Amino acid sequence: MRKIVSLISGIVLILLAYYISNEIASSKKTSKVVMNELSKAVYVEKVKNISNPISIKANGKLTSSNRIEIYSEVQGIFKLGGKKFKPGQSYTKGETMIDIDGNEFFASVKATKSELLNLITSVLPDLKLDYKNNFEVWKDYVKEFDINQPITNLPKPLTEKEKFFITGRGIYSLYYKVKNLEERILKYKIEAPFDGSLINTSITQGTLVKFGQKLGEYIDPSMFELEVSVPSQYSNFLKIGKIINYNSVFNKNHTGEIIRINNSIDKSTQTISVFVEFKSKDLKEGMYCEVDIPMKSEDNSYSISRSLLIDNDKIFYVKDDLTLDLITVQTIFFDKKNVIVKGIPDGINILSKQISGAYPGMQVKITN
């Protein structure tokens, strides 16, 4: 009887043990399924450190490299005819932009030339008697003298005595007075100093132009300067001749170069002024520009989105057991969207997109 009871008890214990082991296994499977269902889906990227170029963004407005303000040095009526003196009007180098009526002044110049001619003629008899070796030269000068043409150089005296004689008669002083008046004649016509166009004007044809009056502004529309401010800590990386690229609002790339660097630091902003020159007829005066100025390259570094940075020096990465953890990094350079960091080992998976509520030890699953 005891043997039968012992046998039955043993069978019951075996069945009970089998049942308990099945329940435990089932519980583990359920727990694993629940854990997988609760794991957060994340996007990651595998780190490969490289040499990252560092550049800073700077902006400003374009101004023409060749810009002149036009002023009148004489007085008279602005003649009608030719191209209209209006903003946007283009001229080629040497083309007449402004023609001022100077007939009254021109007549006074001819009168002074006639006075000079009369003076030279009056001394010819003395030259023939006392300086006959040079008489024929002066005589030919008088014959070829034309008051309607620019005055030619006076004959050179052969002796010092002849020079004193010519000086004493006032010929040299009157000659240089004529030369001065002829130079003033040139100011009645203003020619374009280079190919360009007017950007503003203050007079119209037919009006009276006064001495010293500003007439307009003229620019070369193919050469421009861009003045930008750069933090002074990057001054050692700036060099004359460094190439700068600019993508205009017309989606056209323009290449310029640094032509000047101001050695003075602005006390209020702690920046220095850098001047970049662009040569392009597609650019416009006053155009707003934002350029990237290359500084240097940082070796063995990695570029990430600024949104991934935690407390300014940490980022999340995914461990082998698919849990999150933080790694401390060294920040090298910030721009508007990204930050260049160092200290991330090659080959580890870091989050490529930030997730809400992330914490060390959080269970995740990689979806990409």
Side-chain angles (χ1 to χ4, degrees):
M1 187 67 179
R2 285 182 179 178
K3 288 183 179 181
I4 294 173
V5 171
S6 298
L7 180 62
I8 292 172
S9 298
I11 292 172
V12 170
L13 287 173
I14 291 172
L15 291 174
L16 183 61
Y18 178 76
Y19 174 78
I20 292 172
S21 65
N22 282 342
E23 285 297 317
I24 292 173
S26 176
S27 174
K28 286 183 178 181
K29 288 180 180 180
T30 302
S31 175
K32 193 170 184 180
V33 170
V34 171
M35 184 174 291
N36 284 335
E37 288 178 351
L38 294 176
S39 297
K40 191 82 171 183
V42 295
Y43 292 91
V44 299
E45 56 186 73
K46 184 171 285 189
V47 173
K48 175 62 178 176
N49 288 291
I50 59 173
S51 178
N52 283 284
I54 294 177
S55 63
I56 62 173
K57 290 189 180 296
N59 55 65
K61 289 184 178 180
L62 290 176
T63 58
S64 177
S65 299
N66 291 337
R67 168 195 286 268
I68 61 169
E69 293 183 339
I70 306 170
Y71 287 89
S72 173
E73 298 182 68
V74 295
Q75 181 169 309
I77 300 297
F78 186 2
K79 287 183 180 180
L80 297 171
K83 293 181 177 179
K84 290 186 176 181
F85 193 73
K86 297 285 186 180
Q89 182 64 62
S90 297
Y91 298 90
T92 56
K93 182 179 180 179
E95 187 177 0
T96 299
M97 304 169 66
I98 298 173
D99 191 0
I100 300 173
D101 186 358
N103 288 334
E104 184 178 345
F105 178 76
F106 300 158
S108 68
V109 175
K110 288 182 180 180
T112 308
K113 284 184 178 181
S114 296
E115 187 181 343
L116 176 62
L117 179 60
N118 290 336
L119 183 58
I120 296 174
T121 304
S122 68
V123 301
L124 284 180
D126 293 326
L127 290 170
K128 186 176 182 180
L129 289 174
D130 299 329
Y131 312 101
K132 55 184 177 182
N133 291 338
N134 210 22
F135 169 72
E136 290 298 328
V137 177
W138 283 98
K139 183 180 177 182
D140 291 340
Y141 183 83
V142 170
K143 284 182 179 179
E144 296 172 2
F145 197 100
D146 187 351
I147 62 173
N148 294 313
Q149 297 297 325
I151 193 170
T152 58
N153 294 331
L154 289 173
K156 291 185 177 180
L158 296 180
T159 64
E160 207 171 78
K161 186 178 179 181
E162 180 186 351
K163 181 180 179 181
F164 291 155
F165 173 76
I166 298 298
T167 303
R169 291 302 181 94
I171 292 176
Y172 282 124
S173 61
L174 191 55
Y175 167 78
Y176 284 111
K177 181 180 179 181
V178 172
K179 292 288 287 184
N180 182 57
L181 292 174
E182 285 186 335
E183 284 296 317
R184 195 162 184 80
I185 288 176
L186 301 177
K187 301 182 186 300
Y188 281 83
K189 269 188 182 177
I190 300 177
E191 298 178 345
F194 46 80
D195 293 351
S197 65
L198 293 165
I199 58 172
N200 64 65
T201 59
S202 56
I203 61 166
T204 57
Q205 291 172 311
T207 57
L208 175 65
V209 176
K210 297 181 180 179
F211 177 81
Q213 180 180 349
K214 183 178 178 179
L215 308 179
E217 289 186 72
Y218 186 73
I219 67 167
D220 180 350
S222 63
M223 294 181 63
F224 296 92
E225 276 188 15
L226 175 67
E227 180 182 358
V228 295
S229 297
V230 176
S232 57
Q233 64 263 34
Y234 299 114
S235 60
N236 292 336
F237 302 112
L238 299 171
K239 303 294 181 185
I240 300 293
K242 178 171 282 191
I243 300 300
I244 306 295
N245 291 315
Y246 161 58
N247 190 30
S248 72
V249 293
F250 306 114
N251 291 323
K252 186 171 182 179
N253 188 60
H254 303 277
T255 300
E257 65 174 294
I258 296 176
I259 56 172
R260 297 193 309 279
I261 301 172
N262 195 340
N263 290 321
S264 176
I265 297 176
D266 188 298
K267 293 180 180 180
S268 59
T269 62
Q270 287 300 294
T271 59
I272 58 176
S273 294
V274 178
F275 299 87
V276 184
E277 184 177 68
F278 293 95
K279 296 179 180 179
S280 174
K281 291 185 177 181
D282 295 323
L283 298 174
K284 302 295 180 184
E285 170 92 357
M287 181 181 286
Y288 176 82
C289 298
E290 185 175 70
V291 296
D292 285 316
I293 302 180
M295 296 288 110
K296 63 173 183 174
S297 292
E298 188 68 37
D299 294 332
N300 196 33
S301 62
Y302 197 71
S303 178
I304 62 172
S305 170
R306 294 183 64 163
S307 63
L308 300 178
L309 207 57
I310 308 296
D311 297 332
N312 291 323
D313 64 348
K314 298 179 183 64
I315 61 171
F316 277 111
Y317 74 99
V318 180
K319 297 169 65 176
D320 292 338
D321 61 357
L322 296 181
T323 58
L324 292 182
D325 201 358
L326 288 170
I327 183 172
T328 300
V329 297
Q330 177 189 0
T331 56
I332 303 298
F333 181 78
F334 289 86
D335 62 22
K336 286 184 177 180
K337 295 182 179 179
N338 299 322
V339 56
I340 296 175
V341 299
K342 299 186 76 170
I344 310 177
D346 284 337
I348 72 170
N349 291 318
I350 65 171
L351 296 186
S352 58
K353 292 183 180 180
Q354 187 61 278
I355 59 174
S356 60
Y359 58 89
M362 181 179 184
Q363 194 75 32
V364 296
K365 58 181 178 181
I366 299 173
T367 59
N368 60 329

